[in-house]
Amino acid sequence: MSDAVSARRTSGAPDQPRHTESGGAEPDPTPPRGRGSRIMRLLALMGPAFVAGAWQFGPGNLTAAVQAGSRFGYSLIWVIVVSTLLMIAFTDMSVRIAIVSRGSLVETVKRTLGRPVGAAAGLGVFAIALMFAVGNAVGAGLGLSLVLGGSPVWWTLACTAVVATVLFTRGLYGVIEKVLLVMVTAMAVCFVVTAVLSRPDWNATAAGMLPTVPAGTGFLLVALVGTNFSINAAFYTGYASRERGLRRDQYRQTTLADTIPGIIAPGIMTILVIIASAAVLSGERSAGLADLAGVLEPIAGRTGRIIFALGFFGAAFSSMLANATAGGTLLSDGLGGGNQLSSSRVRLGILAVLAFGALVTAVVGGSPVQLIIIAQALTVVVAPLLGLLLIILANNHSLMDDLRNRWWHNTIAAIGLIAILATCYSLITSLL
């Protein structure tokens, strides 16, 4: 998995665009030469949406998906399908806004809608990052404790310290990223194989594409929406796209090479996790981490548990990196402190996100899995604000020009906003 740090470090590429007086970027005067060159250019555009997708497929999403499959079988697959489609729409809006903006998304919000609204946007992403921080912290500690033993809380504190060191030490992230990528890829491959070899009910899988809400979903349904329709990740994609120097003439290619596949990939993986869990753990009403690890036993035995635990840790650790960076960056940007990683205000925000996750993990008792589910569910509280801001900016004629929303964009956006508001209502009623 990648994170916002890797996106930021690629921003100094030699083909950085030259901006015109209207705020757009001049097209690259060098045309592509040959099929191989076109493929390389497409590969070069991959990144920002895959960062958002990797952020989605963290421990919270993985835990919620396994819980969904074990408790409700295949009936909640449709939630992932709908969330993925809506996520593509809002990520696309964020990318288009980034292309036409002179500054970051928060700076654009301030210029277009006023400084208080921009500050609210930065604070909103920061608040969501705090909730994700809890799930990431718990997940990292649980994953390591399952492999190495010991207290999950102490492992969480150790992981938090390592993440802070990685973020503030040049050259260290690249090595760790490769190790994490191997862990998560191994787990992903195992889920793909398990989803096939565990002999799932494919008729029930197809039926799960049709919207139904089984009784007792409660926080779990909200958590699935919060992690798979993650508007804060979509919002931050605009930052990563701008750091990459994405140009107006690259929009269509970026949509095909990055936005669509980058968001669809974690959606497919989440569906496969639900399928495997439904086939292997069907009827488990409250699966703990050891039970979740058992999903991979059909193909790898006890080794499958280790692969799951390491992959779970890898997903949590990489999400800690991305989440803390995004939360600290947008908080600082919203409050006027800039958005450069070297800024002391950005670093303080990053440390605040990490500290919050570690503190809640250490203080709150109860089931760690349930704590992850609750933390992911709470992320939907601020999402309507961020979604509304993206819709407003994407419809601004003077800002967007030919890249503004069309009627079908707004239709999908309205459905997404209604879905987020509905999950907020569901969360409130579950708490009462």
Side-chain angles (χ1 to χ4, degrees), residues 235-320:
F235 198 88
Y236 192 74
T237 304
Y239 273 76
S241 297
R242 183 154 186 86
E243 291 290 344
R244 284 289 178 95
L246 185 63
R247 305 189 305 269
R248 182 184 293 264
D249 63 294
Q250 294 175 319
Y251 167 65
R252 291 186 181 278
Q253 289 180 314
T254 299
T255 302
L256 296 175
D258 184 53
T259 303
I260 293 177
I263 301 302
I264 286 181
I268 292 175
M269 283 306 308
T270 304
I271 290 174
L272 289 173
V273 172
I274 292 178
I275 292 173
S277 303
V280 177
L281 299 176
S282 180
E284 295 284 346
R285 302 304 302 173
S286 182
L289 184 63
D291 298 312
L292 306 188
V295 173
L296 300 183
E297 277 194 315
I299 64 165
R302 182 165 180 79
T303 303
R305 289 180 173 270
I306 298 176
I307 292 174
F308 177 93
L310 290 176
F312 194 81
F313 162 73
F317 194 88
S318 58
S319 291
M320 286 177 76

Side-chain angles (χ1 to χ4, degrees), residues 98-385:
I99 289 174
V100 301
S101 298
R102 292 178 180 271
S104 68
L105 258 65
V106 167
E107 290 170 343
T108 302
V109 171
K110 288 179 180 179
R111 284 196 299 269
T112 307
L113 303 174
R115 297 184 65 84
V117 180
L123 288 169
V125 174
F126 179 72
I128 293 176
L130 292 179
M131 296 303 102
F132 273 120
V134 176
N136 294 334
V138 173
L142 281 174
L144 284 182
S145 68
L146 192 64
V147 177
L148 303 176
S151 168
V153 174
W154 286 111
W155 282 120
T156 291
L157 296 177
C159 287
T160 301
V162 172
V163 168
T165 302
V166 170
L167 286 175
F168 302 143
T169 303
R170 290 185 177 183
L172 186 58
Y173 175 77
V175 176
I176 292 181
E177 181 186 43
K178 290 180 176 60
V179 176
L180 296 175
L181 183 61
V182 170
M183 292 180 185
V184 178
T185 300
M187 181 180 66
V189 170
C190 284
F191 268 116
V192 172
V193 177
T194 301
V196 176
L197 296 185
S198 57
R199 296 181 180 179
D201 186 337
W202 293 112
N203 290 328
T205 299
M209 302 287 184
L210 301 176
T212 58
V213 181
T217 53
F219 276 116
L220 180 59
L221 179 61
V222 180
L224 283 172
V225 175
T227 53
N228 289 279
F229 181 25
S230 179
I231 293 185
N232 62 312
F235 198 88
Y236 192 74
T237 304
Y239 273 76
S241 297
R242 183 154 186 86
E243 291 290 344
R244 284 289 178 95
L246 185 63
R247 305 189 305 269
R248 182 184 293 264
D249 63 294
Q250 294 175 319
Y251 167 65
R252 291 186 181 278
Q253 289 180 314
T254 299
T255 302
L256 296 175
D258 184 53
T259 303
I260 293 177
I263 301 302
I264 286 181
I268 292 175
M269 283 306 308
T270 304
I271 290 174
L272 289 173
V273 172
I274 292 178
I275 292 173
S277 303
V280 177
L281 299 176
S282 180
E284 295 284 346
R285 302 304 302 173
S286 182
L289 184 63
D291 298 312
L292 306 188
V295 173
L296 300 183
E297 277 194 315
I299 64 165
R302 182 165 180 79
T303 303
R305 289 180 173 270
I306 298 176
I307 292 174
F308 177 93
L310 290 176
F312 194 81
F313 162 73
F317 194 88
S318 58
S319 291
M320 286 177 76
L321 289 164
N323 184 63
T325 303
T329 299
L330 269 82
L331 174 66
S332 176
D333 203 9
L335 299 180
N339 53 41
Q340 297 300 312
L341 191 61
S342 58
S343 166
S344 59
R345 292 189 181 184
V346 171
R347 294 191 172 196
L348 284 175
I350 290 173
L351 291 175
V353 173
L354 294 174
F356 182 84
L359 180 63
V360 172
T361 302
V363 172
V364 177
S367 168
V369 170
Q370 190 61 23
L371 179 58
I372 293 176
I373 296 296
I374 293 173
Q376 305 312 298
L378 290 175
T379 62
V380 305
V381 174
V382 189
L385 169 64

